[in-house]
Amino acid sequence: MMSSSFNIFRVGISVVIMCIFYKSAVDSLSELSPQKYFSTLQPGKASLAYFCQADSPRTSIFLEELNEAITPLQDYGISVAKVNCVKEETSRYCGKEEDLMKAYLFSALLFNEVKYITTLEDLQNIENALKGKANIAFSYVRAIGTPEHRAVMEAAFVYGTTYQFVLTTETALLESIGNEDIENAHLYFFHCKQVLDLTLQCRRTLMEQPLTTLNIHQFIKTMEAPLLTEVTEDPQQVSTVHLQLGLPLVFIVSQQATYEADRRTAEWVAWRLLGKAGVLLLLRDSLEVDIPQHSNVIFRRAEEGVPVEFLVLDDIDSLISHVESNVHIEEIQEDEDEDTKSPNMDVQDDEVAETVYRDRKRPLPLELTVELTEETFNTTVVASDSIVLFYAGWQAVSMAFLQSYIDLAIKLKGTSTMLLTRVNCADWSDLCTKQNVTEFPVVKMYKEGKNPVSYVGMLGTEDLLKFIQLSRISCPVNITSVQEAEEYLSGELYKDLISYSSVSVLGLFSPNMTTAKEDFTEAGNYLKGYAITGIYSEEDVLILSDKYAATLPALLLSRHKEGKIESIPLANSHAQDIIQIITNALLETFPEITVENLPIYLRLQKPLLILFSDGSINPQYKKAILMLVKEKHLDSLTPCWLNLKNTPVGRGILQSYFDTMPPLPLLVVVNLHSGGQVFAFPSDQAITEQNLLLWLKKLEAGLENHITILPAQEWKPPLPAYDFLSMMDAAASQHPTRKDPECTKEMDVQENDKKQHEDKSAIIKEPIETLRIKHWNRSNWFKEGEKSFRHDNKEL
Amino acid sequence: MRLAAAARLWGPPGLLLTFALHPALCLRPARTAAPPHRDYCVLGAGPAGLQMAYFLQRAGRDYAVFERAPRPGSFFARYPRHRRLISINKRHTGKANAEFNLRHDWNSLLSHDPQLLFRHYSRAYFPDAGDMVRYLGDFADRLRLRVLYNTTIAHVTLDKDRQAWNGHYFILTDQTGQAHRCSVLLVATGLWVPNQVDFPGSEHVEGYESVSVDPKDFEGQNVLILGRGNSAFETAENILGVTNFIHMLSRSRVRLSWATHYVGDLRAINNGLLDTYQLKSLDGLLESDLTDLAVVKDHEGKFHITLKFFLEESNQSADAITLPQDDNDNFAMRVAYDRVIRCLGWKFDFSIFNKSLRLSSSGEFSKKYPLVKASYESKGSRGLFVLGTASHSVDYRKSAGGFIHGFRYTVRAVHRLLEHRHHHVPWPSTEHPISQLTNSIVRRVNEASGLYQMFSVLADVILLKENATAFEYLEEFPMQMLAQLETITGRKAQHGLFVINMEYGRNFSGPDKDVFFYDRSVGHTEDAWQSNFLHPVIYYYRHLPTEQEVRFRPADWALPRPTAIHHIVEDFLTDWTAPVGHILPLRRFLENCLDTDLRSFYAESCFLFALTHQKLPPFCQQGYLRMQGLMGTESLRRHGIESGLLRDYATVGRPREDGGQRPVGSSPAPGLPVQPLDGNKEEL
């Protein structure tokens, strides 16, 4: 809630790229005259301007710094310019003091400024100037362009009209106001407004949290809040800005008799707890609620519903430490909250990897398949017809398929002459490479020394079973008599196989049609394991061709389900054409679409007409659609139906088409390949031939409205990756030169040439902790444990 | 013959040129006694020479190996003097993967013959040098490598010839005066000339190559050893127990290989003297520049150490020479020594190469090596490659290129380069759909031995195809030649590339580094870039870096600054197959480089996507849509539903039959958002 108002500013800022950058090279510092600079300022846009006397040499290192900061600042929508102050210049930013370097952050809209200073004197001057007028937010950052710097700049946008923002990168300046921790950025709030006596110093409050936009915002809010509030209400009912910011409240319990002393104490406490808790003075006498006799302090946590604590504290220090220890806990909790909000990159989002991992402890009956090694492989595949699964133990997809493979072994146990074997390529890498296996999983069938056949079907038990069964017969089968041919066509010959392929293909050739026979045999070989094919080319082939009205060479297609036999002429068809003919023949006119067969029908590249049905299809509907097919009204579509009982995922599809599950049965047209529109047949109409035809006509004419359009976006990375490059950069910028930390440190101490700069002296400490973006306290505890076991060194 | 060679060089596009050349060739007067020609001449039948011969033989190339000794591996017949090799012969790793096992086999050469693995030749972890000689002999014999033994090449000259592959032939003359003409010269002569330091009295110093190896000869003696390498320590180790004391003197501090991660530095197996030195025995180490030294022999035949400039000052008799202890009575080496032994290593024999070959040494710091490019080709003459130990200038003190377990891979890289340069055989590669990207990398970082042994020298390269739908995988490319990848390999790198390298942590290795510091190992995936032990690092470039970028890359970087980089966190078992710790972060990195989704999906999910999206993730496109979807099993599906990654569609919003309300709460799923799987994406 609090941060939302802040976001508005952020959006406003980040849109900007200052126009002055259009002219100059992007990464160089623009030099402008003051008039020109102010004329380029635009409302809502930010720019950092550095004002200098022309040709002032002492500032060059600062300028280099500034130059380096241009790009990061620009990313943030802040443009950078150098403004040359010529003598006659009257702008108030071109100061008279020659030494005073100033950099101002401008937002033309708010006209705020951030003063960049380098010496304690600068700071004192500003402080003196603002006593009795305004408060100061003084911050130290390690370098221009750091995240902390940006956070300060952002805060300046919001609060720049109220407070004077002052910025330095000078470690010496920070040290001179008594802060030794030069590695981290700091922000001080100087309470100057209430200082009326110019000889007095402004009170300072150091912000203790890291400098993030949110923290600064919170900190300043607490600075704005009244230092001490007097209340006479029930402590449980009081509400102040502190509670909203997640800070606790401390009530100092007072009574009329000791009011003056208590108030002084309370003020003292309030200063000490400024930014950490809200302090209130509670008058016991005028309060109706009962407060325990001896308690002098009431502590109320920010969380709702937590009862107030009544404390008896002897001195201020124990009060302070009580509050601070409680605030500390809250901070940690806050961190954890942040953690859960940001996506956790360590959570597995790959369904195959996750399911295989979750199933890793279940023992599989692997002994049902023969594990082959480099030594046993060749002898085994030569000795018996074998199916070989090549997989890798570390790869999730092949381990998922291994389960189906084992299921198949269970099914085939004792019934098949085919030996089911497997090779773990993680162990037998060379063997797999020799067998031309470079991806996993791969299934190959080895039959008596013949070239292995790769299995290219769905990686599942049923499809592989079908492949193995259909591979039992040669392809094509050589049929030797008319009677056998008839048995073949009727399905009698391979009774047990027609459940795997509902179509039997028979090629009819005259004995002298050698090329045609070769082409057909080649096609048959290609389709081995996927279709039942036979060949007949005896002298009496005419008996068959006459019977089925075929001109030789020809194909007979026997559809066992429908009990129909049709013939297709094969004249001048090459192997490729024959494969195409047979593959097309295997397609049904109105198939039940399933997970396994959808891809075949998608290859037709036509919009799908899908009838969703909960259970078997109503024969009436089927008839209607088949009629339309027959009358060639559906040639531009692929008609099919989906049985939600067999394919429950259909419900997921319907849910994405309609927000709520529509009544079934339901007919839709899905234009998958061009446009992605989904049209639904009106549910109030009966699915009849006429209604359907009318609707399809309207569809074609563009008179129907689609119910939804399928999203067309690309599949993007589900989550970001670790940005190691910037982590390395950040570390490198903390360790600019690992060689000479000592000498630069000495130079830093040296007098005037201060621009030698900040970070070099901070090299000593390791950056690891500061760089860690997140703490991964969940599920990583065991890794911590593992560390302590790592005593051994690794050799080459 | 010459014509054929020319035609092969120019290749099909140069047909016109060949025609043009044809008359010129015919007109050229045939030389009366042209020396016998070979496409490839290999100098030296040591491990590197034999390794190259193996690859040339397998590729069916015209080659010969010249060896002056009667058998291969003559260096090992003599060295190390005390016969114990310090290259490990790890016979068991608990793994069957032959490629992986080569990571821990430092002695075998590469071949297709599993019998030619060194573990069949010795059972010792640190094997005897005699076994290496036997092994190399078997290697040459079993593979029938064409080696001309007893042939000493006395000098090598250049013969300019425009028709030659490289514009010149190499003319090798042997001890009988017989010349051999070669198109490509592969120098695998190793380092065998003992390093000597020239100082007054150096004639009193015995060399490692000839010093006695019998400890009895050192009984009760004071011994000074010059040098601080493995040969020096090996010599000391042998006589440690019988001498009065041993002092060791060298210019630089001792470098322990377990601190530097460089196998050429002092190996723990030889460092017995360090142990006794630090445990207050009489033995000791000293540092001084050997060139300032002088050795003076006194009348008793004992040796005194003094400084060169004392000798120059006065030209007096031996016993009157100023000794350092005269001024400085606590001078460390004030005792007289019975023996001074020089163990300073070896250098390359430059003497047989004619100046026109411009085979110079690689500069001040590694004078012992000839100067070569990162492709192992001499900078001075095209077509001359340096192989084996002599090629170590490329990765001196960094990787293993000076040792069998390293140069067996660099030799293969050179061979692949030659195959493309002269025979139009592109660098071997495999092509895969992008859905196999993560797998390809995981497979290689877990088993590849070349990457592991030649870390930061040879790297795998993945070349992306247009639109990043497929990629080519190239193994063990010399990474410093990355800018020239297209010309070297004959492969195109137009659409971005990944480089897979193995690296130690930046500031982990060094002679003065404490490699056992507490907290030295990194376990968190987000800290992977701070890993210290050898771990895989993957660089992503949108464009092939230029030569300038490679040359002027940041200090400490193995390659120029990439577009993005990924470190797979170091692993105690060097097994980078943990699904969440290793593979997941890698996949996220690859996904973000390619801006796509590389997750794998079950067929059912692909089915859903196919009917509810216009585009499919690569895994579904390249698997399911090609009829190769992953069906999964019931128990996996149950795990999927438990994890929330899959939905139980059987219970999803059943249709309201008669328009009536169903009791809410009985079925848990109806209110769920659609497709938890791609929920993230919809927001993007």
PDB file of all heavy atoms in Angstrom, chain A residues 349 355 429 595 657 661 716 772 776 790-791, chain B residues 447 520 526-527 561 587 595 602 605 611 624 653:
ATOM      1  N   ASP A 349      10.416 -27.048 -11.993  1.00  0.00           N
ATOM      2  CA  ASP A 349       9.178 -26.821 -12.733  1.00  0.00           C
ATOM      3  C   ASP A 349       9.117 -27.671 -13.988  1.00  0.00           C
ATOM      4  O   ASP A 349       8.335 -27.400 -14.888  1.00  0.00           O
ATOM      5  CB  ASP A 349       9.012 -25.330 -13.065  1.00  0.00           C
ATOM      6  CG  ASP A 349      10.253 -24.742 -13.711  1.00  0.00           C
ATOM      7  OD1 ASP A 349      11.198 -25.516 -13.967  1.00  0.00           O
ATOM      8  OD2 ASP A 349      10.282 -23.533 -13.969  1.00  0.00           O
ATOM      9  N   THR A 355       8.601 -35.623 -11.443  1.00  0.00           N
ATOM     10  CA  THR A 355       7.915 -36.889 -11.162  1.00  0.00           C
ATOM     11  C   THR A 355       8.925 -38.031 -11.063  1.00  0.00           C
ATOM     12  O   THR A 355       8.788 -38.901 -10.206  1.00  0.00           O
ATOM     13  CB  THR A 355       6.865 -37.208 -12.250  1.00  0.00           C
ATOM     14  OG1 THR A 355       7.488 -37.090 -13.527  1.00  0.00           O
ATOM     15  CG2 THR A 355       5.698 -36.264 -12.181  1.00  0.00           C
ATOM     16  N   SER A 429      29.097 -45.474 -22.455  1.00  0.00           N
ATOM     17  CA  SER A 429      29.038 -44.361 -23.384  1.00  0.00           C
ATOM     18  C   SER A 429      29.559 -44.734 -24.775  1.00  0.00           C
ATOM     19  O   SER A 429      28.942 -44.411 -25.797  1.00  0.00           O
ATOM     20  CB  SER A 429      29.877 -43.232 -22.789  1.00  0.00           C
ATOM     21  OG  SER A 429      29.814 -42.115 -23.581  1.00  0.00           O
ATOM     22  N   VAL A 595      -4.500 -38.823 -27.080  1.00  0.00           N
ATOM     23  CA  VAL A 595      -3.166 -38.262 -26.882  1.00  0.00           C
ATOM     24  C   VAL A 595      -2.192 -38.897 -27.877  1.00  0.00           C
ATOM     25  O   VAL A 595      -1.357 -38.221 -28.465  1.00  0.00           O
ATOM     26  CB  VAL A 595      -2.700 -38.490 -25.423  1.00  0.00           C
ATOM     27  CG1 VAL A 595      -1.238 -38.121 -25.259  1.00  0.00           C
ATOM     28  CG2 VAL A 595      -3.553 -37.693 -24.458  1.00  0.00           C
ATOM     29  N   TYR A 657     -11.238 -23.232 -23.387  1.00  0.00           N
ATOM     30  CA  TYR A 657     -12.083 -22.625 -24.418  1.00  0.00           C
ATOM     31  C   TYR A 657     -13.231 -21.840 -23.788  1.00  0.00           C
ATOM     32  O   TYR A 657     -13.566 -20.746 -24.196  1.00  0.00           O
ATOM     33  CB  TYR A 657     -12.683 -23.693 -25.329  1.00  0.00           C
ATOM     34  CG  TYR A 657     -11.692 -24.432 -26.215  1.00  0.00           C
ATOM     35  CD1 TYR A 657     -12.088 -25.567 -26.919  1.00  0.00           C
ATOM     36  CD2 TYR A 657     -10.381 -23.991 -26.371  1.00  0.00           C
ATOM     37  CE1 TYR A 657     -11.212 -26.258 -27.734  1.00  0.00           C
ATOM     38  CE2 TYR A 657      -9.490 -24.677 -27.180  1.00  0.00           C
ATOM     39  CZ  TYR A 657      -9.909 -25.812 -27.855  1.00  0.00           C
ATOM     40  OH  TYR A 657      -9.042 -26.482 -28.650  1.00  0.00           O
ATOM     41  N   MET A 661     -17.167 -25.322 -17.460  1.00  0.00           N
ATOM     42  CA  MET A 661     -17.386 -26.499 -18.298  1.00  0.00           C
ATOM     43  C   MET A 661     -18.747 -26.388 -18.979  1.00  0.00           C
ATOM     44  O   MET A 661     -19.779 -26.255 -18.322  1.00  0.00           O
ATOM     45  CB  MET A 661     -17.355 -27.757 -17.427  1.00  0.00           C
ATOM     46  CG  MET A 661     -15.976 -28.357 -17.280  1.00  0.00           C
ATOM     47  SD  MET A 661     -15.246 -28.889 -18.819  1.00  0.00           S
ATOM     48  CE  MET A 661     -16.017 -30.471 -19.000  1.00  0.00           C
ATOM     49  N   LYS A 716       8.401 -18.862 -23.456  1.00  0.00           N
ATOM     50  CA  LYS A 716       9.559 -18.146 -22.908  1.00  0.00           C
ATOM     51  C   LYS A 716      10.113 -18.892 -21.696  1.00  0.00           C
ATOM     52  O   LYS A 716       9.454 -19.756 -21.140  1.00  0.00           O
ATOM     53  CB  LYS A 716       9.110 -16.739 -22.483  1.00  0.00           C
ATOM     54  CG  LYS A 716       8.599 -15.900 -23.631  1.00  0.00           C
ATOM     55  CD  LYS A 716       9.737 -15.440 -24.504  1.00  0.00           C
ATOM     56  CE  LYS A 716       9.235 -14.676 -25.705  1.00  0.00           C
ATOM     57  NZ  LYS A 716      10.282 -14.423 -26.678  1.00  0.00           N
ATOM     58  N   ARG A 772      25.450 -11.952  -1.977  1.00  0.00           N
ATOM     59  CA  ARG A 772      24.421 -12.995  -2.028  1.00  0.00           C
ATOM     60  C   ARG A 772      23.073 -12.326  -2.182  1.00  0.00           C
ATOM     61  O   ARG A 772      22.655 -11.525  -1.366  1.00  0.00           O
ATOM     62  CB  ARG A 772      24.478 -13.825  -0.761  1.00  0.00           C
ATOM     63  CG  ARG A 772      23.563 -15.005  -0.869  1.00  0.00           C
ATOM     64  CD  ARG A 772      23.911 -16.010   0.192  1.00  0.00           C
ATOM     65  NE  ARG A 772      25.182 -16.630  -0.098  1.00  0.00           N
ATOM     66  CZ  ARG A 772      25.767 -17.464   0.759  1.00  0.00           C
ATOM     67  NH1 ARG A 772      25.218 -17.745   1.896  1.00  0.00           N
ATOM     68  NH2 ARG A 772      26.909 -18.014   0.431  1.00  0.00           N
ATOM     69  N   TRP A 776      19.145 -18.651   1.083  1.00  0.00           N
ATOM     70  CA  TRP A 776      18.353 -19.835   0.728  1.00  0.00           C
ATOM     71  C   TRP A 776      18.261 -20.717   1.951  1.00  0.00           C
ATOM     72  O   TRP A 776      18.883 -21.760   2.019  1.00  0.00           O
ATOM     73  CB  TRP A 776      19.014 -20.572  -0.420  1.00  0.00           C
ATOM     74  CG  TRP A 776      19.165 -19.681  -1.577  1.00  0.00           C
ATOM     75  CD1 TRP A 776      20.140 -18.766  -1.790  1.00  0.00           C
ATOM     76  CD2 TRP A 776      18.290 -19.582  -2.701  1.00  0.00           C
ATOM     77  NE1 TRP A 776      19.922 -18.101  -2.951  1.00  0.00           N
ATOM     78  CE2 TRP A 776      18.804 -18.579  -3.531  1.00  0.00           C
ATOM     79  CE3 TRP A 776      17.124 -20.251  -3.063  1.00  0.00           C
ATOM     80  CZ2 TRP A 776      18.189 -18.223  -4.712  1.00  0.00           C
ATOM     81  CZ3 TRP A 776      16.525 -19.893  -4.235  1.00  0.00           C
ATOM     82  CH2 TRP A 776      17.042 -18.887  -5.044  1.00  0.00           C
ATOM     83  N   ARG A 790      33.604 -31.878   3.495  1.00  0.00           N
ATOM     84  CA  ARG A 790      34.505 -31.733   2.363  1.00  0.00           C
ATOM     85  C   ARG A 790      35.905 -31.433   2.821  1.00  0.00           C
ATOM     86  O   ARG A 790      36.340 -30.308   2.823  1.00  0.00           O
ATOM     87  CB  ARG A 790      34.023 -30.591   1.482  1.00  0.00           C
ATOM     88  CG  ARG A 790      32.683 -30.849   0.908  1.00  0.00           C
ATOM     89  CD  ARG A 790      32.464 -29.791  -0.087  1.00  0.00           C
ATOM     90  NE  ARG A 790      31.645 -30.316  -1.151  1.00  0.00           N
ATOM     91  CZ  ARG A 790      31.667 -29.837  -2.345  1.00  0.00           C
ATOM     92  NH1 ARG A 790      32.482 -28.872  -2.660  1.00  0.00           N
ATOM     93  NH2 ARG A 790      30.895 -30.337  -3.263  1.00  0.00           N
ATOM     94  N   HIS A 791      36.592 -32.432   3.230  1.00  0.00           N
ATOM     95  CA  HIS A 791      37.956 -32.180   3.672  1.00  0.00           C
ATOM     96  C   HIS A 791      38.950 -32.466   2.569  1.00  0.00           C
ATOM     97  O   HIS A 791      40.055 -31.990   2.589  1.00  0.00           O
ATOM     98  CB  HIS A 791      38.266 -33.027   4.889  1.00  0.00           C
ATOM     99  CG  HIS A 791      37.396 -32.669   6.046  1.00  0.00           C
ATOM    100  ND1 HIS A 791      37.346 -31.392   6.556  1.00  0.00           N
ATOM    101  CD2 HIS A 791      36.519 -33.394   6.749  1.00  0.00           C
ATOM    102  CE1 HIS A 791      36.484 -31.365   7.542  1.00  0.00           C
ATOM    103  NE2 HIS A 791      35.958 -32.556   7.684  1.00  0.00           N
TER     104      HIS A 791
ATOM    105  N   GLU B 447      31.240 -36.895 -18.331  1.00  0.00           N
ATOM    106  CA  GLU B 447      32.106 -37.993 -18.732  1.00  0.00           C
ATOM    107  C   GLU B 447      33.325 -37.564 -19.532  1.00  0.00           C
ATOM    108  O   GLU B 447      34.333 -38.269 -19.510  1.00  0.00           O
ATOM    109  CB  GLU B 447      31.305 -39.047 -19.511  1.00  0.00           C
ATOM    110  CG  GLU B 447      30.779 -38.534 -20.846  1.00  0.00           C
ATOM    111  CD  GLU B 447      30.055 -39.615 -21.639  1.00  0.00           C
ATOM    112  OE1 GLU B 447      29.420 -40.481 -21.018  1.00  0.00           O
ATOM    113  OE2 GLU B 447      30.140 -39.597 -22.870  1.00  0.00           O
ATOM    114  N   ARG B 520      36.187 -23.721   1.840  1.00  0.00           N
ATOM    115  CA  ARG B 520      36.706 -23.581   0.487  1.00  0.00           C
ATOM    116  C   ARG B 520      35.735 -24.090  -0.557  1.00  0.00           C
ATOM    117  O   ARG B 520      35.873 -23.842  -1.727  1.00  0.00           O
ATOM    118  CB  ARG B 520      38.024 -24.341   0.352  1.00  0.00           C
ATOM    119  CG  ARG B 520      37.880 -25.844   0.542  1.00  0.00           C
ATOM    120  CD  ARG B 520      39.229 -26.518   0.594  1.00  0.00           C
ATOM    121  NE  ARG B 520      39.100 -27.921   0.912  1.00  0.00           N
ATOM    122  CZ  ARG B 520      38.964 -28.401   2.128  1.00  0.00           C
ATOM    123  NH1 ARG B 520      38.919 -27.578   3.145  1.00  0.00           N
ATOM    124  NH2 ARG B 520      38.852 -29.701   2.326  1.00  0.00           N
ATOM    125  N   GLU B 526      23.529 -20.625  -6.198  1.00  0.00           N
ATOM    126  CA  GLU B 526      23.672 -19.218  -6.583  1.00  0.00           C
ATOM    127  C   GLU B 526      25.082 -18.706  -6.328  1.00  0.00           C
ATOM    128  O   GLU B 526      25.439 -17.636  -6.764  1.00  0.00           O
ATOM    129  CB  GLU B 526      22.624 -18.336  -5.897  1.00  0.00           C
ATOM    130  CG  GLU B 526      22.914 -17.987  -4.452  1.00  0.00           C
ATOM    131  CD  GLU B 526      22.445 -19.062  -3.481  1.00  0.00           C
ATOM    132  OE1 GLU B 526      22.266 -20.220  -3.913  1.00  0.00           O
ATOM    133  OE2 GLU B 526      22.273 -18.749  -2.301  1.00  0.00           O
ATOM    134  N   ASP B 527      25.887 -19.487  -5.603  1.00  0.00           N
ATOM    135  CA  ASP B 527      27.277 -19.101  -5.394  1.00  0.00           C
ATOM    136  C   ASP B 527      28.205 -19.844  -6.338  1.00  0.00           C
ATOM    137  O   ASP B 527      29.423 -19.807  -6.180  1.00  0.00           O
ATOM    138  CB  ASP B 527      27.706 -19.405  -3.951  1.00  0.00           C
ATOM    139  CG  ASP B 527      26.927 -18.577  -2.946  1.00  0.00           C
ATOM    140  OD1 ASP B 527      26.465 -17.489  -3.334  1.00  0.00           O
ATOM    141  OD2 ASP B 527      26.785 -19.015  -1.800  1.00  0.00           O
ATOM    142  N   ARG B 561      34.807 -11.624 -22.745  1.00  0.00           N
ATOM    143  CA  ARG B 561      33.567 -11.465 -22.000  1.00  0.00           C
ATOM    144  C   ARG B 561      32.381 -11.975 -22.819  1.00  0.00           C
ATOM    145  O   ARG B 561      32.147 -11.541 -23.934  1.00  0.00           O
ATOM    146  CB  ARG B 561      33.371  -9.989 -21.691  1.00  0.00           C
ATOM    147  CG  ARG B 561      32.240  -9.711 -20.739  1.00  0.00           C
ATOM    148  CD  ARG B 561      32.090  -8.210 -20.548  1.00  0.00           C
ATOM    149  NE  ARG B 561      30.847  -7.936 -19.857  1.00  0.00           N
ATOM    150  CZ  ARG B 561      30.719  -7.981 -18.534  1.00  0.00           C
ATOM    151  NH1 ARG B 561      31.746  -8.272 -17.796  1.00  0.00           N
ATOM    152  NH2 ARG B 561      29.561  -7.737 -17.966  1.00  0.00           N
ATOM    153  N   ARG B 587      19.596 -25.503 -17.014  1.00  0.00           N
ATOM    154  CA  ARG B 587      18.479 -25.341 -17.947  1.00  0.00           C
ATOM    155  C   ARG B 587      17.980 -23.901 -17.933  1.00  0.00           C
ATOM    156  O   ARG B 587      17.745 -23.307 -18.977  1.00  0.00           O
ATOM    157  CB  ARG B 587      17.333 -26.285 -17.550  1.00  0.00           C
ATOM    158  CG  ARG B 587      16.289 -26.435 -18.635  1.00  0.00           C
ATOM    159  CD  ARG B 587      15.016 -27.036 -18.085  1.00  0.00           C
ATOM    160  NE  ARG B 587      14.206 -26.025 -17.445  1.00  0.00           N
ATOM    161  CZ  ARG B 587      13.416 -26.231 -16.401  1.00  0.00           C
ATOM    162  NH1 ARG B 587      13.338 -27.421 -15.859  1.00  0.00           N
ATOM    163  NH2 ARG B 587      12.715 -25.255 -15.896  1.00  0.00           N
ATOM    164  N   ASP B 595      15.997 -17.596 -24.861  1.00  0.00           N
ATOM    165  CA  ASP B 595      14.664 -17.035 -24.708  1.00  0.00           C
ATOM    166  C   ASP B 595      13.578 -18.036 -25.102  1.00  0.00           C
ATOM    167  O   ASP B 595      12.689 -17.749 -25.896  1.00  0.00           O
ATOM    168  CB  ASP B 595      14.530 -15.751 -25.539  1.00  0.00           C
ATOM    169  CG  ASP B 595      13.356 -14.910 -25.054  1.00  0.00           C
ATOM    170  OD1 ASP B 595      13.026 -15.010 -23.860  1.00  0.00           O
ATOM    171  OD2 ASP B 595      12.764 -14.181 -25.870  1.00  0.00           O
ATOM    172  N   TYR B 602       5.176 -34.399 -20.518  1.00  0.00           N
ATOM    173  CA  TYR B 602       4.521 -35.650 -20.903  1.00  0.00           C
ATOM    174  C   TYR B 602       3.613 -35.396 -22.099  1.00  0.00           C
ATOM    175  O   TYR B 602       3.187 -34.263 -22.355  1.00  0.00           O
ATOM    176  CB  TYR B 602       3.714 -36.201 -19.726  1.00  0.00           C
ATOM    177  CG  TYR B 602       4.586 -36.792 -18.655  1.00  0.00           C
ATOM    178  CD1 TYR B 602       4.737 -36.160 -17.426  1.00  0.00           C
ATOM    179  CD2 TYR B 602       5.276 -37.984 -18.878  1.00  0.00           C
ATOM    180  CE1 TYR B 602       5.560 -36.699 -16.440  1.00  0.00           C
ATOM    181  CE2 TYR B 602       6.091 -38.528 -17.903  1.00  0.00           C
ATOM    182  CZ  TYR B 602       6.244 -37.880 -16.692  1.00  0.00           C
ATOM    183  OH  TYR B 602       7.058 -38.411 -15.733  1.00  0.00           O
ATOM    184  N   SER B 605       0.454 -33.383 -21.592  1.00  0.00           N
ATOM    185  CA  SER B 605       0.608 -31.934 -21.539  1.00  0.00           C
ATOM    186  C   SER B 605       0.779 -31.367 -22.938  1.00  0.00           C
ATOM    187  O   SER B 605       0.201 -30.334 -23.276  1.00  0.00           O
ATOM    188  CB  SER B 605       1.812 -31.553 -20.685  1.00  0.00           C
ATOM    189  OG  SER B 605       1.675 -32.067 -19.387  1.00  0.00           O
ATOM    190  N   LEU B 611      -3.779 -28.260 -28.423  1.00  0.00           N
ATOM    191  CA  LEU B 611      -5.146 -27.849 -28.704  1.00  0.00           C
ATOM    192  C   LEU B 611      -5.524 -26.538 -28.021  1.00  0.00           C
ATOM    193  O   LEU B 611      -6.636 -26.054 -28.206  1.00  0.00           O
ATOM    194  CB  LEU B 611      -6.120 -28.949 -28.287  1.00  0.00           C
ATOM    195  CG  LEU B 611      -6.054 -30.196 -29.196  1.00  0.00           C
ATOM    196  CD1 LEU B 611      -6.909 -31.315 -28.637  1.00  0.00           C
ATOM    197  CD2 LEU B 611      -6.481 -29.859 -30.612  1.00  0.00           C
ATOM    198  N   TYR B 624       6.678 -34.830 -29.239  1.00  0.00           N
ATOM    199  CA  TYR B 624       5.282 -35.248 -29.382  1.00  0.00           C
ATOM    200  C   TYR B 624       4.759 -35.085 -30.804  1.00  0.00           C
ATOM    201  O   TYR B 624       4.178 -35.999 -31.369  1.00  0.00           O
ATOM    202  CB  TYR B 624       4.424 -34.449 -28.400  1.00  0.00           C
ATOM    203  CG  TYR B 624       2.961 -34.781 -28.468  1.00  0.00           C
ATOM    204  CD1 TYR B 624       2.488 -36.008 -28.016  1.00  0.00           C
ATOM    205  CD2 TYR B 624       2.036 -33.884 -29.014  1.00  0.00           C
ATOM    206  CE1 TYR B 624       1.146 -36.325 -28.097  1.00  0.00           C
ATOM    207  CE2 TYR B 624       0.692 -34.192 -29.092  1.00  0.00           C
ATOM    208  CZ  TYR B 624       0.247 -35.415 -28.632  1.00  0.00           C
ATOM    209  OH  TYR B 624      -1.077 -35.744 -28.728  1.00  0.00           O
ATOM    210  N   GLY B 653     -13.826 -30.055 -13.335  1.00  0.00           N
ATOM    211  CA  GLY B 653     -15.157 -29.540 -13.632  1.00  0.00           C
ATOM    212  C   GLY B 653     -16.011 -30.422 -14.538  1.00  0.00           C
ATOM    213  O   GLY B 653     -16.106 -30.193 -15.739  1.00  0.00           O
TER     214      GLY B 653
END
